Amino acid sequence: MEPAPGPQEKYQLITRNLQEVLGEDKLMAILKERELKIYWGTATTGKPHVAYFVPMSKIADFLKAGCEVTILFADLHAYLDNMKAPWELLELRTRYYETVIKAMLESIGVPLEKLKFVRGTDYQLSKEYTLDVYRLSSMVTQHDAKKAGAEVVKQVEHPLLSGLLYPGLQALDEEYLKVDAQFGGVDQRKIFTFAEKYLPSLGYAKRIHLMNPMVPGLTGSKMSSSEEDSKIDLLDRKEDVKKKLKKAFCEPGNVENNSVLSFIKHVLFPLKSEFVVLREEKWGGSKTYTAYEALEKDFAEQVVHPGDLKNSVEVALNKLLDPIREKFSSPELKQLSNAAYPNPAKSKPAEKGTKNSELENVIPSRLDIRVGKVISVEKHPDADTLYVEKIDVGESEPRTVVSGLVQFIPKEQLQDRLVVLLCNLKPQKMRGVESKGMVLCASSLGEPRQVEPLDPPAGCCAGERVYVEGYESGEPDDELKPKKKVFEKLQADFRVSEDCVAQWKQKNFLTKLGTVSCRSLKGGTIS
């Protein structure tokens, strides 16, 4: 077992590869007394890209130095920043960020159990926090608020008031998360100095601020979620990674604003303490560098060719991305990704006055969900993974339903069981058998995948209606039109609570006898 690092060693780990530290003396003083408490926050706006590995790599350093690290998913900030995350997509994008950031950390070997994960809305809507926002707004000038957010908040011709609130909320987060330090990109510097100026005015301590450099985008400027050509997405296919790296700015001998070199310096070297340039034997063969400075020197002197550097980064980057791609290959996470970031080209606005022209018309009461009793279960004659069930939903005849549950639930556990059935989907032939409903089930997010049918409360009868809390009175559609994707839009917000209760946007699925639940899949999805 390695001995615990001393204060000086911790200081070196915490500050290596940073561009600037505000409060170095205070940092060293704390390290001599106890472990540092630090947080990194990310607004849940555009899709995270490979530059997010830079803060992830530093988070690994912080943990090696014994720091107590909190990761903040700043959902409210995402909305305030010129509505980069529309209110109706906020929950979905926050869930996407939580899942993808955790997958990134796992891909570089960071133990998640040593981290604390928090959402902004967990505390930013409290009475105390809101009062502090008002107190701060009575002290801060419009000039200072605008200046503080200039590098972070989206700048537009007619800015919204929400953008002026953004820096104040980020400053207050330091107090409400009870940390010694905040870590972020150097583009946050004006917000950090804003916090140092105004928090003491509220009677709160001035914090330490740690800043990493901004990784240049593939085009030479800052890598940005909103500029497609500047970034590599975490879920990009290998062929897309190759194509984007091929076009990346990496001029022979130029080490300034070189995104390829920068990624090696700030991500790959700290993780592996070495980098291998892959080359054919006729060009000198592969070479392992154990110091970044030596690689930069060779590139500056054109000993290393840009093509070899790009090919080597491609191999190393795909090793980091492979486990993330694999995690997001599951149907549930593909659906989450598509729902959180819908393709604008596919979403044509409806005409004014039509039923679905407004989001609020996509509501749970449009779903005809009922308690069903499974009368019989047989294997599908032409598909090994499918059951054909007869389910009583209180009609004159049982419905025939085809379900892909063979590999998850033994036939005996379905027979005579009460289930929850979606009854107004358009009937669909599945391998020659027409299915007239869908058995709703909870699914785990992790591997191996687990599936459990939702359970109505004990004592329910076949045909009883299942509804979402607050949507008891609406009439369900006679039949859901596949092109409108009403079910898919609602399903994106279906989730199992930590108490195993089925929910839509944190509102419970109910019958007149109580809540609908599953047996054990806390935090799972529902499909």
Side-chain angles (χ1 to χ4, degrees):
M1 186 175 174
E2 292 184 12
Q8 189 61 44
E9 194 178 346
K10 289 179 181 179
Y11 181 90
Q12 294 298 332
L13 274 170
I14 290 167
T15 60
R16 73 169 174 174
N17 286 332
L18 293 180
Q19 182 163 323
E20 188 176 3
V21 178
L22 300 177
E24 292 174 280
D25 292 342
K26 187 175 182 181
L27 171 58
M28 182 54 82
I30 289 173
L31 292 175
K32 288 177 180 176
E33 296 290 328
R34 57 174 174 80
E35 307 298 1
L36 185 75
K37 297 177 182 178
I38 187 168
Y39 97 89
W40 172 75
T42 179
T44 54
T45 52
K47 280 187 175 181
H49 44 73
V50 295
Y52 278 64
F53 275 114
V54 177
M56 299 302 104
S57 176
K58 279 310 301 174
I59 286 167
D61 281 346
F62 298 152
L63 290 176
K64 287 175 192 168
C67 299
E68 296 177 23
V69 182
T70 297
I71 292 180
L72 170 67
F73 297 107
D75 46 359
L76 199 54
H77 285 76
Y79 180 68
L80 292 175
D81 187 359
N82 205 47
M83 295 187 292
K84 280 186 184 175
W87 193 259
E88 63 271 15
L89 295 178
L90 206 56
E91 166 68 18
L92 291 167
R93 290 197 177 171
T94 304
R95 280 168 50 194
Y96 180 89
Y97 262 70
E98 286 184 24
T99 309
V100 84
I101 293 292
K102 288 177 181 178
M104 289 180 78
L105 290 163
E106 286 174 327
S107 83
I108 62 172
V110 174
L112 297 185
E113 66 274 10
K114 291 188 176 180
L115 296 163
K116 181 180 179 184
F117 296 93
V118 179
R119 290 187 183 194
T121 47
D122 289 345
Y123 63 90
Q124 289 168 347
L125 302 177
S126 69
K127 178 182 175 182
E128 296 77 13
Y129 189 95
T130 304
L131 181 58
D132 271 346
V133 172
Y134 287 137
R135 289 173 64 205
L136 195 58
S137 66
S138 72
M139 301 172 183
V140 177
T141 65
Q142 180 188 358
H143 171 270
D144 281 5
K146 189 175 180 181
K147 180 183 174 185
E151 299 294 325
V152 177
V153 178
K154 187 177 180 181
Q155 301 301 297
V156 292
E157 187 178 354
H158 300 291
L160 299 173
L161 178 61
S162 58
L164 297 177
L165 294 174
Y166 190 110
L169 268 65
Q170 188 167 334
L172 288 172
D173 290 341
E174 297 179 348
E175 173 64 24
Y176 279 79
L177 292 171
K178 302 300 177 190
V179 294
D180 306 306
Q182 182 178 174
F183 164 61
V186 74
D187 60 339
Q188 307 266 340
R189 192 183 194 283
K190 290 177 182 174
I191 292 182
F192 291 167
T193 55
F194 172 94
E196 292 188 7
K197 177 180 177 180
Y198 282 105
L199 278 189
S201 302
L202 295 173
Y204 299 141
K206 185 165 76 170
R207 265 60 179 196
I208 300 158
H209 293 103
L210 311 172
M211 287 164 270
N212 63 267
M214 304 308 295
V215 172
L218 302 179
T219 54
S221 58
K222 170 185 167 184
M223 196 175 288
S224 168
S225 296
S226 57
E227 294 181 32
E228 190 61 37
D229 289 340
S230 79
K231 65 190 174 79
I232 294 173
D233 279 331
L234 297 169
L235 302 182
D236 273 350
R237 299 171 304 166
K238 290 186 177 182
E239 51 266 41
D240 295 327
V241 171
K242 180 185 284 292
K243 187 163 54 174
K244 288 182 177 181
L245 277 172
K246 194 173 181 180
K247 295 190 328 191
F249 178 77
C250 189
E251 190 176 43
N254 187 347
V255 298
E256 300 297 323
N257 289 325
N258 186 322
S259 62
V260 182
L261 275 176
S262 188
F263 190 77
I264 296 169
K265 178 179 180 180
H266 292 288
V267 176
L268 300 177
F269 252 105
L271 292 176
K272 301 290 185 183
S273 300
E274 65 176 32
F275 182 73
V276 181
V277 174
L278 304 169
R279 286 187 299 216
E280 294 181 32
E281 286 300 326
K282 64 180 179 180
W283 303 118
S286 298
K287 181 175 180 179
T288 300
Y289 290 88
T290 55
Y292 170 76
E293 292 73 19
L295 171 62
E296 187 179 274
K297 181 174 180 289
D298 276 1
F299 186 82
E301 294 174 0
Q302 300 191 34
V303 175
V304 175
H305 188 272
D308 293 328
L309 195 70
K310 288 180 179 183
N311 290 339
S312 306
V313 168
E314 180 191 340
V315 170
L317 180 54
N318 278 319
K319 283 181 182 176
L320 292 177
L321 296 180
D322 278 342
I324 303 171
R325 293 184 187 115
E326 186 177 351
K327 190 179 184 80
F328 273 79
S329 66
S330 72
E332 292 83 6
L333 291 184
K334 279 183 180 177
Q335 184 183 55
L336 173 61
S337 180
N338 292 334
Y341 297 94
N343 185 343
K346 292 183 179 178
S347 52
K348 297 177 183 175
E351 292 179 17
K352 270 192 173 179
T354 60
K355 182 175 182 182
N356 289 318
S357 63
E358 297 293 335
L359 182 75
E360 51 263 37
N361 285 321
V362 182
I363 52 177
S365 54
R366 294 182 63 181
L367 304 180
D368 182 5
I369 307 177
R370 305 183 215 168
V371 176
K373 183 173 182 180
V374 180
I375 305 300
S376 67
V377 191
E378 300 296 337
K379 282 272 193 77
H380 192 296
D382 298 315
D384 292 338
T385 60
L386 301 177
Y387 284 133
V388 179
E389 302 125 356
K390 296 287 186 183
I391 301 180
D392 178 10
V393 288
E395 297 170 334
S396 57
E397 295 289 335
R399 291 194 179 208
T400 300
V401 177
V402 179
S403 303
L405 298 174
V406 171
Q407 58 187 318
F408 302 109
I409 303 159
K411 187 166 74 169
E412 304 75 45
Q413 289 184 19
L414 280 176
Q415 181 67 46
D416 299 320
R417 180 176 185 149
L418 289 180
V419 294
V420 175
L421 195 74
L422 178 61
C423 295
N424 60 341
L425 289 173
K426 184 178 180 180
Q428 182 180 356
K429 281 202 171 183
M430 299 180 71
R431 300 293 291 271
V433 177
E434 189 176 70
S435 180
K436 295 185 177 179
M438 177 192 290
V439 178
L440 294 181
C441 298
S443 299
S444 63
L445 290 175
E447 296 295 335
R449 187 181 174 211
Q450 295 174 275
V451 174
E452 297 174 357
L454 295 184
D455 292 318
C460 284
C461 298
E464 278 186 33
R465 188 176 172 207
V466 177
Y467 54 88
V468 171
E469 183 181 359
Y471 294 88
E472 298 88 343
S473 57
E475 281 297 315
D477 291 14
D478 291 334
E479 185 179 282
L480 297 172
K481 305 299 179 189
K483 287 185 178 179
K484 299 291 186 184
K485 297 193 178 299
V486 173
F487 173 65
E488 289 81 357
K489 290 172 184 174
L490 291 165
Q491 185 196 12
D493 289 306
F494 286 4
R495 206 173 186 182
V496 179
S497 74
E498 290 303 305
D499 298 319
C500 289
V501 174
Q503 295 184 328
W504 175 79
K505 291 190 175 181
Q506 300 181 324
K507 295 180 182 293
N508 295 342
F509 282 45
L510 300 167
T511 73
K512 63 185 180 183
L513 294 180
T515 56
V516 174
S517 59
C518 69
R519 292 182 182 175
S520 66
L521 300 181
K522 300 176 182 179
T525 58
I526 298 172
S527 56

